[in-house]
């Protein structure tokens, strides 16, 4: 109950701050120097937040589709030999620094959202792939026997049994990818993507701690809310599939 109250208060604070950030100027004023502005006004904080969320959502969706398809392919008899290769590719995607991906993507794609999406997509593949793989390969033996007893084809078993039972773990992978991407997306502002990193970078360049805190605070609250939202969805799916 206490956790839900705190989450509700965090959501209310975030909505109020994004709707009327100037109201919170006295709260951030002590963090400024030399009469610098306490609230970032060069671009609407609400529009930056919505753009940030849109980029993260697109990247998470792409990572989820690619990771899930890859996990399905390597758990089928014809694709099992490609499992080591798939694991290597997804691991490299996360270990390769996003900043380096941006540096390589900008000459090919230009400045803007594109390079950021590529970096987040590669960075988010591993959690989804590994969780989907675990979900698809950890089915109880009696489930497989029941599916065979019902005369389900491999395709029917995949859609009607395997994927529904693996969904909680897939959602857990999406949760990790979403939270990681929320923080990592801030670096997209270095290549002109419209993210909350713009506020943080402006604060660093002007030595204005208030701006840095504002950008970090919004990203942090969003990460907590999305994390708990996915957790609630996972619990609901587990109950519906009889796993909770």
């Amino acid at each position: 109950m206490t956790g839900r109250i705190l989450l509700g208060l965090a959501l209310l604070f975030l909505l109020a701050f994004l709707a009327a950030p100037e109201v919170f100027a006295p709260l951030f004023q002590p963090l400024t120097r030399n009469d610098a502005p306490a609230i970032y006004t060069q671009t609407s904080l609400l529009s930056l937040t919505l753009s940030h969320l849109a980029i993260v959502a697109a990247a998470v969706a792409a990572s989820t589709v690619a990771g899930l398809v890859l996990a399905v392919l390597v758990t089928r008899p014809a694709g099992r030999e490609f499992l080591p290769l798939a694991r290597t590719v997804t691991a490299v995607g996360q270990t390769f620094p996003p900043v380096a991906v941006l540096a390589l993507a900008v000459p090919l794609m230009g400045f803007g959202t594109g390079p950021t999406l590529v970096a987040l997509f590669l960075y988010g593949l591993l959690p989804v792939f590994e969780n989907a793989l675990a979900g698809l390969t950890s089915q109880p033996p009696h489930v497989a026997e029941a599916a065979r007893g019902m005369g389900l084809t491999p395709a029917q078993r995949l859609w009607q049994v395997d994927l529904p039972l693996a969904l909680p773990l897939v959602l857990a992978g999406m949760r990790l990818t979403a939270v990681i991407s929320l923080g990592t997306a801030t670096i997209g502002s270095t290549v002109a993507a419209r993210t909350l990193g713009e506020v943080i970078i402006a604060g660093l360049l002007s030595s204005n701690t208030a701006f840095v805190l504002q950008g970090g605070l919004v990203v942090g609250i969003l990460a907590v809310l999305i994390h708990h939202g996915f957790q609630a969805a996972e619990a609901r799916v587990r109950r519906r599939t009889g796993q909770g």
Side-chain angles (χ1 to χ4, degrees), residues 114-204:
T116 305
L117 283 173
V118 172
L120 295 181
F121 166 74
L122 293 175
Y123 209 53
L125 270 177
L126 184 63
V128 175
F129 171 73
E130 288 293 345
N131 277 48
L133 187 64
L136 290 170
T137 57
S138 62
Q139 307 292 349
H142 70 270
V143 172
E145 292 295 332
R148 280 194 291 268
M150 294 171 62
L152 297 181
T153 65
Q156 289 174 327
R157 177 185 167 185
L158 174 65
W159 288 104
Q160 297 178 28
V161 179
D162 292 345
L163 286 177
L165 290 177
L167 185 55
L169 280 176
V170 173
L171 288 173
M174 292 176 66
R175 168 167 51 85
L176 293 174
T177 294
V179 171
I180 291 171
S181 296
L182 273 168
T184 307
T186 55
I187 67 171
S189 291
T190 60
V191 293
R194 295 187 72 250
T195 74
L196 289 162
E198 177 180 324
V199 186
I200 297 173
I201 292 172
L204 292 174

Side-chain angles (χ1 to χ4, degrees), residues 17 21 38 49-50 61 63 66 71 82-83 93 99 101 105 108 119 139 154 156 160 168 175 221-222 225 227 232 241:
F17 178 68
T49 300
L50 293 176
S63 296
F82 297 103
L83 176 57
V99 175
V101 175
L108 299 174
Q139 307 292 349
Q156 289 174 327
Q160 297 178 28
R175 168 167 51 85
I221 292 176
L222 286 173
L225 292 174
H227 172 81
T241 55

Side-chain angles (χ1 to χ4, degrees), residues 7 168 171-176 179 223-239:
L7 286 176
L171 288 173
M174 292 176 66
R175 168 167 51 85
L176 293 174
V179 171
V224 171
L225 292 174
I226 289 175
H227 172 81
H228 284 277
F230 270 108
Q231 277 193 327
E234 292 166 38
R236 191 175 301 113
V237 171
R238 286 186 186 278
R239 287 194 296 269

